[in-house]
Each structure stands twice: as C-alpha cells, then as structure tokens.
Amino acid sequence: MKQVKPEILEAFCLNILKKHGVESQCAQTVAHCLVDADLCGVSTHGVSRLAIYLERLDAGVVSKENRITIERESPAALVVNAGNSLGMPAAKFTMEKCIEKAREAGCCFATVKNSNHFGAAAYYTRLAAEQGMVGICAANLTSKIAPYGASEPYMGTNPISIASPGEEGAVVLDMAPSVVALGKLIMAQKLGKPIPEGWALDKDGHPTTDPAEGRKGSLLPIGGPKGSGLAIMIDILCGVLSGGKFGPHLHDLYGDMQNPQEVGHFIGAIDISHFVDVDIFRSGVAQMSREIKSLRPAEGVSEIFMPGEGSDNRRRKNLEQGISLPDEIFGELLAIGKACGVVFPEE
C-alpha cells in the first residue's frame, strides 16, 4: 500500500486530466470527486476509475468540454442535457441549481440526460445536506442486474443516495440495488482476487467467484424482488423521465468504446426550512441517532452506526493520515502520469 496525501493526489489527477485536454473546471470537479471517494473509503469509485475515464476521453466518446445546458426550467423543476460531458460536472452543476431553486420553491427536482458515469452518488447529496437541505441523487447504468425471475440482466446497478443534515454531520445513505456495486468486481479483478459467492452470476446464470465472469454475467439484487423493483424505479426516474435511455439501451462504461454512455440522473434538493425549523429538524435527527446508537447491539457487534457514519470516520482518518492506495492502483496512476508527462510530486 502507498500512503498519499489527498491534496497531492488531487493535484496529480487534475494535472493528468488537463494534459488530456479536459476543460479546467470539469477537470477540477472530477479530480475532487475521485479523491473524495477515496477519502471516504469508497475506493471502487475513487482514483482507480481515472484510467477508464481517460480511455473514453481519448477515444472521443466523452466530451472534454463542458457542454451542459438547461433544456427546460420551472420554479421547482429542471431538465438538464449533459451534452455527453463528464458525469461529475453534470451532476454537481445540477445539484447546485436544485439547491438554488429549492430556497425559493421549497424543493427542486431535476433530470439529466446524455451524461456519463458520475462516481459516488453521496458526493452530490452531501452538497445539499451541507446547505441544510435533504439531497436525493440517483443514476442509471447499462444492464447488469437480472429482474427478479429473469435469467439475464436488464437494469443497471443503479445507485441512489439520500442525505439529511444532522447536528454533527450528515446522515447519508448511498447504495446500489445489487448486493454489491459493480465497482467491487472491477476492483477485485484489478487486484487479482476472487469475489464471495452470492455477489454475481456468470453469463450462463451460475454462481461465480470469478470477478471477470461476474462482469460478463449479472449481479444479484438485494432482497430479490425488492432490489429488482428499486432498480427498475430508478431506471424510470433517470431514463424514462429524462427522455433518455434505460436498461440495455445504455452503453457500457468499460465494454463500449464506440458510443457515449448516455446515462441519466435524477437529482433533487428539499429545503427543510419550508417544512420545519432547521434547528428543530437537526435536533430530531440527533435524537434519532442517539436512540438508535444506544440500542442493545446484536451479538458480535461492537457499535451501531448511522448511514454514512463509517464514511465520515474514514474521511477524518484519511485527511490526517493520508489515503492508502493498493500498489496496483498507485502503479497504474504513475504509468498514466508518465504517459502524458505528469510526474507524481515528492511529498
């Protein structure tokens, strides 16, 4: 493992993105989002994704420019066309617009079409929570989950995040409707490790512990019909409602270097002050947190955590101690930098 200061890692990624011709503000957003995921311990959505983003940029299937536009707008709704821009700037732009409009209308919801992979959904919902609002963010991806009762995939590992402000920090749910996010298979394959049985099926519908075979097949939904239903509803909000694509009509981040992904997002902000005093809300969330954490732990459990609490703890630790990157990932970053003339700075 290589220990890296987050600010150095972010500057390194930023310089690489700029060297590849990415517009400056977009590059800053992408670099910050990637390192933020690693700070939170979500390494599957961190700097390990930089290589595939660059591959798609260089292949010309993702715009290096900022082509994000608002197609339709009303007091509490937005329709955003990402214009095949990088997903992170598109999602951040949209959440910031939703926050701005929610201050007036009480809430604002937006669809985004013609976008790309946007990393960890929690990044965007935390933006709302930091402004005293409830944030909601979801995305659809190409087919990786088989609908309940089917033997082949249709919906993607469509993530959803909801974040609420509290007294000390945000309460943040960030989850995929599959047993694990696809990124865990990607990371396992990069590190040459097997995956637990129960995560994925191979292309013939058989359980597998080989991440490469699991990526060719399908991921299992959480709770059978419940996870399947959640994935379908996210696809409706992100794909159908946006006027974009959904399910197998989307294009794969890794397997298709000829076509844009064309993924969609559903993003919203709810201004708490339009419903209840923010301090009362924060106090209520704090009370709930105290009561949940004071419950008798189950056997073998030392502490009960609220959603997002583990990520916050890892963020604080990693800000102090630095981010630990597997040697394989750090070596990959060094090779990417060397290829475009960016040297990793000495700490």
Side-chain angles (χ1 to χ4, degrees), residues 44 48-49 181-191 195 211 215 253-254:
T44 55
S48 65
R49 295 279 184 152
L182 181 63
K184 288 191 178 292
L185 273 68
I186 295 168
M187 181 64 79
Q189 187 176 1
K190 281 190 175 186
L191 300 180
I195 58 172
R215 291 180 66 186
L253 176 67
Y254 286 85

Side-chain angles (χ1 to χ4, degrees), residues 4-36 46-47 50-51 53-54 57 64 86 88-89 333 336-337 340-345:
V4 183
K5 291 181 179 178
E7 62 273 17
I8 290 177
L9 183 59
E10 184 173 334
F12 180 64
C13 292
L14 173 59
N15 288 335
I16 289 174
L17 286 159
K18 285 183 174 180
K19 280 283 188 177
H20 281 258
V22 178
E23 185 269 334
S24 179
Q25 196 62 47
C26 289
Q28 289 177 17
T29 299
V30 173
H32 190 262
C33 287
L34 290 175
V35 174
D36 183 78
V47 296
L50 181 61
Y53 290 175
L54 295 175
L57 286 161
K64 296 180 181 181
L86 286 154
M88 293 161 171
L333 290 176
I336 290 170
C340 64
V342 178
V343 178
F344 193 85

Side-chain angles (χ1 to χ4, degrees), residues 110-270:
T111 58
V112 184
K113 61 184 177 183
N114 296 326
S115 189
N116 288 282
H117 189 271
F118 70 6
Y123 179 87
Y124 313 103
T125 58
R126 289 202 319 266
L127 294 176
E130 289 165 3
Q131 298 297 317
M133 299 188 187
V134 173
I136 300 171
C137 182
N140 66 353
L141 299 164
T142 192
S143 51
K144 292 295 179 184
I145 297 178
Y148 184 69
S151 61
E152 55 186 317
Y154 188 90
M155 308 86 68
T157 54
N158 303 340
I160 183 167
S161 176
I162 303 172
S164 159
E167 278 193 336
E168 295 184 0
V171 178
V172 186
L173 171 73
D174 188 355
M175 59 170 283
S178 50
V179 174
V180 293
L182 181 63
K184 288 191 178 292
L185 273 68
I186 295 168
M187 181 64 79
Q189 187 176 1
K190 281 190 175 186
L191 300 180
K193 295 181 178 180
I195 58 172
E197 190 167 317
W199 280 14
L201 305 175
D202 64 20
K203 59 183 174 54
D204 297 318
H206 301 133
T208 182
T209 59
D210 184 337
E213 292 302 314
R215 291 180 66 186
K216 295 175 187 175
S218 60
L219 296 176
L220 293 170
I222 53 172
K226 297 179 182 179
S228 173
L230 180 58
I232 290 170
M233 296 310 298
I234 293 171
D235 224 349
I236 289 172
L237 290 173
C238 296
V240 181
L241 186 63
S242 70
K245 296 187 177 181
F246 49 87
H249 308 290
L250 297 163
H251 300 288
D252 188 48
L253 176 67
Y254 286 85
D256 187 342
M257 289 296 161
Q258 285 74 48
N259 298 290
Q261 280 190 276
E262 298 184 276
V263 303
H265 314 313
F266 180 75
I267 293 172
I270 302 171

Side-chain angles (χ1 to χ4, degrees), residues 94-109:
T94 304
M95 179 57 85
E96 289 174 344
K97 287 292 183 183
C98 284
I99 290 169
E100 179 184 322
K101 292 174 76 66
R103 295 198 190 283
E104 296 296 323
C107 62
C108 179
F109 291 92

Side-chain angles (χ1 to χ4, degrees), residues 264-282:
H265 314 313
F266 180 75
I267 293 172
I270 302 171
D271 190 337
I272 292 163
S273 67
H274 283 251
F275 297 84
V276 65
D277 183 88
V278 176
D279 289 336
I280 293 175
F281 180 89
R282 291 182 187 273

